[in-house]
Amino acid sequence: MVENMGQRIRDRRIALELTLDELGKRVGVGASTVRKWETGYIKDMRSDKIQKVADALDVTPAYLMGWDESQSVSVEQVHTNNGLIGQANAPVYINGENTPVQLSKEETELLRIYKELSVRGRMQLLTKAMDLEAAESEK
């Protein structure tokens, strides 16, 4: 069965052990509105409400909408001096080691992005990176 947005909201709310009222308060609506979202009675949510529900449920709006959350990154999207992926950029000392590690442009870009994120965003990035690492090790 393909889940719709209402089902994803309901499943996540239950997983977080939130009542309809608790989720409604986090989003700024009543429990009856949350119930209508979950049952599909309200089919078209405003984008600001989708974002608030996603934040309250600690998921992305893309997840709620059922969109594919995987994104490819083109060279033009990476903020580097010359756009060359894999080129060494700057030495970094990791865990107090005396020998510097050369970071590539994309590694430097990941650190830049990480620093710009909120704590929640950093945790999501780390979780995604660990999932990718686990998938790679299974190959």
Side-chain angles (χ1 to χ4, degrees):
M1 178 182 118
V2 176
E3 288 185 348
N4 60 27
M5 182 165 49
Q7 186 65 47
R8 282 187 289 280
I9 291 171
R10 181 180 185 281
D11 291 347
R12 184 66 181 150
R13 176 182 62 78
I14 291 170
L16 294 174
E17 300 178 350
L18 294 173
T19 65
L20 292 167
D21 190 53
E22 289 170 331
L23 178 56
K25 285 179 181 174
R26 289 183 180 190
V27 178
V29 299
S32 63
T33 300
V34 176
R35 181 179 293 112
K36 289 175 184 176
W37 289 335
E38 290 183 356
T39 61
Y41 185 78
I42 297 176
K43 296 183 190 316
D44 296 319
M45 290 175 63
R46 293 185 351 218
S47 61
D48 64 317
K49 292 299 181 197
I50 294 171
Q51 182 64 58
K52 287 181 179 181
V53 170
D55 290 343
L57 297 176
D58 198 26
V59 296
T60 64
Y63 167 79
L64 290 180
M65 301 296 291
W67 298 338
D68 181 11
E69 294 189 63
S70 63
Q71 297 178 349
S72 60
V73 178
S74 68
V75 172
E76 292 78 25
Q77 292 172 299
V78 179
H79 302 287
T80 62
N81 291 338
N82 58 10
L84 296 177
I85 301 299
Q87 186 178 46
N89 188 23
V92 175
Y93 296 87
I94 299 176
N95 296 332
E97 294 178 10
N98 291 330
T99 306
V101 176
Q102 288 291 116
L103 295 182
S104 66
K105 296 281 187 179
E106 65 268 20
E107 289 167 328
T108 303
E109 179 66 5
L110 283 169
L111 288 173
R112 185 200 62 77
I113 292 168
Y114 179 86
K115 288 179 66 171
E116 296 292 324
L117 295 174
S118 65
V119 172
R120 182 170 168 254
R122 288 177 179 187
M123 293 308 298
Q124 289 175 333
L125 179 61
L126 287 171
T127 301
K128 183 66 174 177
M130 288 186 277
D131 290 346
L132 289 169
E133 180 183 39
E136 288 288 319
S137 67
E138 292 175 2
K139 289 184 180 179

